[in-house]
Amino acid sequence: MTRPPLPPFTPETAEQKARLAEDAWNSRDPAKVALAYTPDSQWRNRAEFVTGRAAIEAFLTRKWSRELDYRLIKEVWGFRHNRMAVRFAYEWHDDSGNWFRSYGNELWEFDEEGLMSRRIASINDAPIAEADRKYHWPLGRRPDDHPGLSELGL
């Protein structure tokens, strides 16, 4: 199975790959998202280590059961050959209605089929007031005309 665009990346294909990842994560469908990773993909997400698609799917299921109304924006920071650095921010609330904006950086490594074999994520959560939210699109894919991180000053 291939997952275009394939490495080595160009500026255009790196942006496309990041947007496809953003779109998948905004679906909040753990099974769909897990298919973008190799069967033995290795993750470090904050202080949690996850290996393999089944573990990724279980991790995402837990994540999105806690992080409600999740909306994410990703932006390519840099790339070379089959690796990419991406920064992101997402907004969510907990089951008590407390809102957060989580900021982070990811390092991605892809196999020749375009599947992600490694994902290293560092993330910080900042409490925000509901009035300070910047992501107001309907749940799902971010609209093409919605500003990205740089345009939002994030």
Side-chain angles (χ1 to χ4, degrees), residues 99-118:
W99 280 91
F100 299 86
R101 186 174 303 118
S102 299
Y103 299 94
N105 300 295
E106 294 175 306
L107 302 175
W108 296 345
E109 184 174 54
F110 296 89
D111 72 4
E112 62 280 350
E113 303 298 321
L115 295 171
M116 195 180 299
S117 58
R118 189 177 340 180

Side-chain angles (χ1 to χ4, degrees), residues 1 23 29 41 45 52 66 73 77 86 124 131:
M1 173 173 100
D23 292 349
D29 181 338
S41 185
N45 195 89
R66 292 186 316 267
I73 300 176
W77 190 254
V86 176
N124 297 298

Side-chain angles (χ1 to χ4, degrees), residues 33-81:
V33 173
L35 291 176
Y37 300 91
T38 62
D40 60 349
S41 185
Q42 297 178 1
W43 280 24
R44 181 184 58 75
N45 195 89
R46 301 176 193 250
E48 188 169 350
F49 294 83
V50 179
T51 301
R53 280 188 187 148
I56 290 168
E57 188 173 338
F59 171 88
L60 293 171
T61 299
R62 285 191 320 274
K63 171 185 178 64
W64 290 320
S65 70
R66 292 186 316 267
E67 296 178 356
L68 307 175
D69 290 323
Y70 175 98
R71 291 170 178 83
L72 164 75
I73 300 176
K74 292 184 181 281
E75 182 177 283
V76 173
W77 190 254
F79 66 93
R80 184 175 176 156
H81 305 299

